[in-house]
Amino acid sequence: MNNAVLKRQSLAESVAESLQSEIASGTFKVGEQLPTEPDLMQRFGVGRSSVREAIRILAHNGWVKVQQGLGTFVASQHGAGKPLTQYLEKASFDEVDEVRLVLEIKIAERAAAHRTAKDIARMKQCLKKRLEYAEAGKLEACMQADIDFHSALAEASRNGIMIDLYKTIAVHLKKAFQERHKDVSSFLDSQERHEQLLQYITEQNAPKAALTATRINQRR
Protein backbone atom coordinates (compact mmCIF):
# COMPACT_ATOMS: atom_id res chain seq x y z
CA MET A 1 0.00 0.00 0.00
CA ASN A 2 1.35 3.41 -0.94
CA ASN A 3 2.03 5.92 1.84
CA ALA A 4 0.27 8.55 -0.27
CA VAL A 5 -2.99 6.81 0.63
CA LEU A 6 -2.26 7.26 4.32
CA LYS A 7 -2.37 11.02 4.48
CA ARG A 8 -5.61 12.45 5.88
CA GLN A 9 -6.16 10.09 8.75
CA SER A 10 -3.54 8.94 11.20
CA LEU A 11 -1.43 6.05 9.96
CA ALA A 12 -2.92 3.73 12.56
CA GLU A 13 -6.50 4.57 11.56
CA SER A 14 -5.71 4.03 7.88
CA VAL A 15 -4.07 0.67 8.55
CA ALA A 16 -7.05 -0.34 10.73
CA GLU A 17 -9.56 0.60 8.03
CA SER A 18 -7.60 -1.26 5.34
CA LEU A 19 -7.45 -4.42 7.44
CA GLN A 20 -11.11 -4.00 8.40
CA SER A 21 -12.08 -3.86 4.70
CA GLU A 22 -10.11 -7.03 4.00
CA ILE A 23 -11.75 -8.83 6.91
CA ALA A 24 -15.23 -7.69 5.82
CA SER A 25 -14.58 -8.83 2.23
CA GLY A 26 -13.40 -12.25 3.39
CA THR A 27 -9.73 -11.83 2.45
CA PHE A 28 -9.03 -12.71 6.08
CA LYS A 29 -11.57 -15.20 7.38
CA VAL A 30 -12.89 -15.65 10.93
CA GLY A 31 -10.38 -17.66 12.97
CA GLU A 32 -7.54 -16.86 10.57
CA GLN A 33 -4.36 -15.30 11.94
CA LEU A 34 -3.36 -11.88 10.65
CA PRO A 35 0.18 -11.33 9.33
CA THR A 36 2.85 -10.63 11.96
CA GLU A 37 3.79 -7.11 13.06
CA PRO A 38 6.93 -7.01 10.86
CA ASP A 39 4.90 -8.20 7.86
CA LEU A 40 2.23 -5.52 8.43
CA MET A 41 4.89 -2.84 8.93
CA GLN A 42 6.44 -3.73 5.58
CA ARG A 43 3.11 -4.10 3.84
CA PHE A 44 1.77 -0.68 4.86
CA GLY A 45 5.08 1.16 5.12
CA VAL A 46 4.49 2.24 8.73
CA GLY A 47 6.21 1.82 12.10
CA ARG A 48 5.55 -0.72 14.83
CA SER A 49 3.57 1.74 16.97
CA SER A 50 1.13 2.43 14.10
CA VAL A 51 0.57 -1.29 13.55
CA ARG A 52 0.00 -1.91 17.25
CA GLU A 53 -2.45 0.99 17.50
CA ALA A 54 -4.30 -0.30 14.41
CA ILE A 55 -4.64 -3.74 15.99
CA ARG A 56 -5.86 -2.10 19.21
CA ILE A 57 -8.54 -0.23 17.24
CA LEU A 58 -9.67 -3.43 15.51
CA ALA A 59 -9.72 -5.36 18.79
CA HIS A 60 -11.69 -2.60 20.50
CA ASN A 61 -14.31 -2.76 17.76
CA GLY A 62 -14.62 -6.54 17.81
CA TRP A 63 -12.89 -7.34 14.52
CA VAL A 64 -9.91 -9.22 15.94
CA LYS A 65 -8.76 -10.91 19.12
CA VAL A 66 -5.19 -10.71 20.36
CA GLN A 67 -3.89 -13.89 21.97
CA GLN A 68 -0.69 -13.22 23.90
CA GLY A 69 2.19 -15.29 22.60
CA LEU A 70 0.19 -16.61 19.65
CA GLY A 71 -0.79 -13.65 17.51
CA THR A 72 -3.84 -11.73 16.29
CA PHE A 73 -6.85 -13.64 14.96
CA VAL A 74 -9.98 -12.52 13.10
CA ALA A 75 -12.90 -12.59 15.55
CA SER A 76 -15.75 -11.31 13.36
CA GLN A 77 -16.42 -10.43 9.74
CA HIS A 78 -18.73 -7.62 10.81
CA GLY A 79 -17.10 -6.13 13.90
CA ALA A 80 -19.15 -4.59 16.66
CA GLY A 81 -20.67 -1.71 14.75
CA LYS A 82 -19.34 1.64 13.61
CA PRO A 83 -15.72 2.11 14.72
CA LEU A 84 -15.20 4.59 17.53
CA THR A 85 -12.52 6.29 15.43
CA GLN A 86 -15.14 7.24 12.84
CA TYR A 87 -17.28 8.92 15.50
CA LEU A 88 -14.25 10.76 16.87
CA GLU A 89 -13.15 11.85 13.41
CA LYS A 90 -16.49 13.60 12.81
CA ALA A 91 -17.03 14.84 16.38
CA SER A 92 -16.37 18.43 17.40
CA PHE A 93 -13.50 19.26 19.74
CA ASP A 94 -15.99 20.03 22.53
CA GLU A 95 -17.63 16.60 22.17
CA VAL A 96 -14.30 14.75 22.32
CA ASP A 97 -13.13 16.96 25.18
CA GLU A 98 -16.27 16.23 27.21
CA VAL A 99 -15.77 12.46 26.85
CA ARG A 100 -12.09 12.82 27.76
CA LEU A 101 -12.96 14.83 30.88
CA VAL A 102 -15.36 12.17 32.19
CA LEU A 103 -12.88 9.42 31.35
CA GLU A 104 -9.86 11.10 32.97
CA ILE A 105 -11.72 11.76 36.22
CA LYS A 106 -12.67 8.10 36.57
CA ILE A 107 -9.18 7.03 35.51
CA ALA A 108 -7.67 9.22 38.25
CA GLU A 109 -9.95 7.62 40.86
CA ARG A 110 -9.03 4.09 39.81
CA ALA A 111 -5.34 4.87 39.41
CA ALA A 112 -5.23 6.08 43.01
CA ALA A 113 -6.58 2.71 44.12
CA HIS A 114 -4.63 0.41 41.80
CA ARG A 115 -1.31 2.12 40.98
CA THR A 116 1.97 0.30 41.54
CA ALA A 117 5.46 1.58 42.27
CA LYS A 118 6.28 0.97 38.60
CA ASP A 119 3.30 3.10 37.53
CA ILE A 120 4.38 5.94 39.82
CA ALA A 121 7.94 5.84 38.48
CA ARG A 122 6.69 5.97 34.89
CA MET A 123 4.35 8.90 35.59
CA LYS A 124 7.12 10.80 37.38
CA GLN A 125 9.37 10.34 34.36
CA CYS A 126 6.65 11.62 32.01
CA LEU A 127 6.07 14.70 34.17
CA LYS A 128 9.81 15.36 34.35
CA LYS A 129 10.03 15.30 30.55
CA ARG A 130 6.87 17.43 30.29
CA LEU A 131 8.49 20.15 32.40
CA GLU A 132 11.87 19.92 30.67
CA TYR A 133 10.31 20.28 27.23
CA ALA A 134 8.02 23.10 28.40
CA GLU A 135 10.93 25.05 29.87
CA ALA A 136 12.88 24.53 26.66
CA GLY A 137 9.94 25.74 24.57
CA LYS A 138 9.66 22.43 22.70
CA LEU A 139 5.92 22.40 22.13
CA GLU A 140 5.53 19.16 20.14
CA ALA A 141 7.63 17.13 22.58
CA CYS A 142 5.83 18.74 25.54
CA MET A 143 2.40 17.80 24.14
CA GLN A 144 3.53 14.20 23.64
CA ALA A 145 4.94 14.04 27.19
CA ASP A 146 1.58 15.30 28.50
CA ILE A 147 -0.30 12.62 26.56
CA ASP A 148 2.23 10.00 27.73
CA PHE A 149 1.57 11.00 31.34
CA HIS A 150 -2.19 10.62 30.99
CA SER A 151 -1.75 7.35 29.09
CA ALA A 152 0.41 6.05 31.95
CA LEU A 153 -2.34 7.19 34.31
CA ALA A 154 -4.84 5.15 32.29
CA GLU A 155 -2.57 2.10 32.47
CA ALA A 156 -2.48 2.49 36.26
CA SER A 157 -6.29 2.25 36.38
CA ARG A 158 -6.03 -1.47 35.57
CA ASN A 159 -9.25 -1.25 33.54
CA GLY A 160 -8.68 -2.58 30.02
CA ILE A 161 -11.64 -0.78 28.46
CA MET A 162 -10.60 2.57 29.95
CA ILE A 163 -7.03 2.04 28.73
CA ASP A 164 -8.14 1.27 25.16
CA LEU A 165 -10.65 4.13 25.12
CA TYR A 166 -8.08 6.62 26.32
CA LYS A 167 -5.46 5.49 23.80
CA THR A 168 -8.01 5.84 21.00
CA ILE A 169 -9.08 9.29 22.18
CA ALA A 170 -5.42 10.32 22.64
CA VAL A 171 -4.87 10.11 18.87
CA HIS A 172 -7.53 12.79 18.36
CA LEU A 173 -6.48 14.69 21.46
CA LYS A 174 -3.03 15.28 19.99
CA LYS A 175 -4.56 16.72 16.82
CA ALA A 176 -6.64 19.07 18.96
CA PHE A 177 -3.57 20.09 20.97
CA GLN A 178 -1.71 20.94 17.78
CA GLU A 179 -4.53 23.24 16.69
CA ARG A 180 -5.17 24.74 20.11
CA HIS A 181 -1.70 25.34 21.58
CA LYS A 182 0.67 27.75 19.88
CA ASP A 183 3.23 27.79 22.70
CA VAL A 184 4.08 25.99 25.96
CA SER A 185 2.61 28.57 28.36
CA SER A 186 -0.47 26.53 29.35
CA PHE A 187 1.71 23.47 29.99
CA LEU A 188 3.95 25.48 32.29
CA ASP A 189 0.89 26.88 34.09
CA SER A 190 -0.59 23.43 34.68
CA GLN A 191 2.61 21.61 35.66
CA GLU A 192 2.04 22.11 39.40
CA ARG A 193 -1.51 20.70 39.19
CA HIS A 194 -0.23 17.65 37.33
CA GLU A 195 2.39 17.07 40.02
CA GLN A 196 -0.30 17.48 42.66
CA LEU A 197 -2.42 14.88 40.86
CA LEU A 198 0.46 12.43 40.91
CA GLN A 199 0.99 13.11 44.61
CA TYR A 200 -2.64 12.25 45.42
CA ILE A 201 -2.40 9.09 43.32
CA THR A 202 0.79 8.14 45.13
CA GLU A 203 -1.01 8.70 48.45
CA GLN A 204 -3.99 6.66 47.16
CA ASN A 205 -6.32 9.57 47.82
CA ALA A 206 -8.98 8.88 45.19
CA PRO A 207 -11.38 11.79 45.98
CA LYS A 208 -8.63 14.43 45.77
CA ALA A 209 -7.14 12.78 42.68
CA ALA A 210 -10.52 13.00 40.93
CA LEU A 211 -11.00 16.62 42.01
CA THR A 212 -7.55 17.59 40.78
CA ALA A 213 -8.14 15.82 37.44
CA THR A 214 -11.33 17.88 37.08
CA ARG A 215 -9.45 21.13 37.77
CA ILE A 216 -6.74 20.22 35.26
CA ASN A 217 -9.29 19.57 32.54
CA GLN A 218 -11.28 22.71 33.23
CA ARG A 219 -8.19 24.85 32.63
CA ARG A 220 -6.78 23.11 29.56
Side-chain angles (χ1 to χ4, degrees):
M1 187 171 183
N2 194 302
N3 274 346
V5 180
L6 309 178
K7 53 185 181 180
R8 292 196 175 179
Q9 299 170 296
S10 77
L11 295 179
E13 290 169 338
S14 294
V15 170
E17 287 198 3
S18 294
L19 288 172
Q20 179 179 310
S21 295
E22 292 187 73
I23 293 170
S25 67
T27 301
F28 295 113
K29 302 186 184 305
V30 174
E32 185 178 346
Q33 185 174 4
L34 292 186
T36 63
E37 278 186 3
D39 288 339
L40 291 174
M41 289 164 61
Q42 183 175 11
R43 181 181 181 188
F44 291 103
V46 298
R48 188 178 300 275
S49 62
S50 294
V51 169
R52 288 183 175 178
E53 178 62 23
I55 295 300
R56 224 179 344 251
I57 291 170
L58 291 173
H60 176 72
N61 288 290
W63 291 90
V64 302
K65 182 176 182 180
V66 179
Q67 297 185 28
Q68 295 299 327
L70 295 177
T72 302
F73 297 82
V74 177
S76 170
Q77 197 174 352
H78 308 289
K82 187 176 179 181
L84 176 61
T85 52
Q86 290 185 20
Y87 284 110
L88 293 173
E89 194 70 39
K90 295 177 182 179
S92 67
F93 171 77
D94 287 341
E95 288 175 321
V96 176
D97 207 44
E98 187 174 6
V99 172
R100 179 186 55 78
L101 168 60
V102 174
L103 188 58
E104 286 189 359
I105 292 171
K106 193 62 184 178
I107 281 173
E109 283 184 347
R110 284 190 56 86
H114 300 281
R115 92 292 182 276
T116 64
K118 186 177 179 180
D119 292 323
I120 293 169
R122 183 182 170 196
M123 287 185 279
K124 280 183 178 178
Q125 183 63 21
C126 290
L127 282 188
K128 181 181 177 183
K129 288 182 178 180
R130 185 184 190 275
L131 179 59
E132 288 175 355
Y133 291 136
E135 290 179 335
K138 297 180 179 179
L139 179 58
E140 188 74 21
C142 182
M143 289 190 293
Q144 187 58 55
D146 181 89
I147 291 172
D148 288 345
F149 168 75
H150 287 282
S151 295
L153 198 62
E155 292 281 355
S157 74
R158 297 294 178 272
N159 182 305
I161 295 175
M162 285 185 179
I163 293 168
D164 280 349
L165 277 174
Y166 191 81
K167 287 180 178 178
T168 301
I169 288 175
V171 173
H172 298 269
L173 181 61
K174 188 171 183 180
K175 293 178 185 176
F177 273 6
Q178 290 169 335
E179 295 174 2
R180 192 175 186 184
H181 298 288
K182 303 306 178 185
D183 57 46
V184 298
S185 58
S186 63
F187 293 94
L188 286 169
D189 290 342
S190 63
Q191 181 70 22
E192 185 177 347
R193 288 191 294 277
H194 279 74
E195 291 176 354
Q196 188 177 54
L197 173 58
L198 178 54
Q199 183 61 38
Y200 288 137
I201 289 171
T202 302
E203 296 172 355
Q204 296 190 301
N205 190 329
K208 287 191 175 180
L211 180 60
T212 304
T214 303
R215 289 172 174 167
I216 288 172
N217 282 283
Q218 288 174 341
R219 300 184 188 183
R220 270 187 174 178

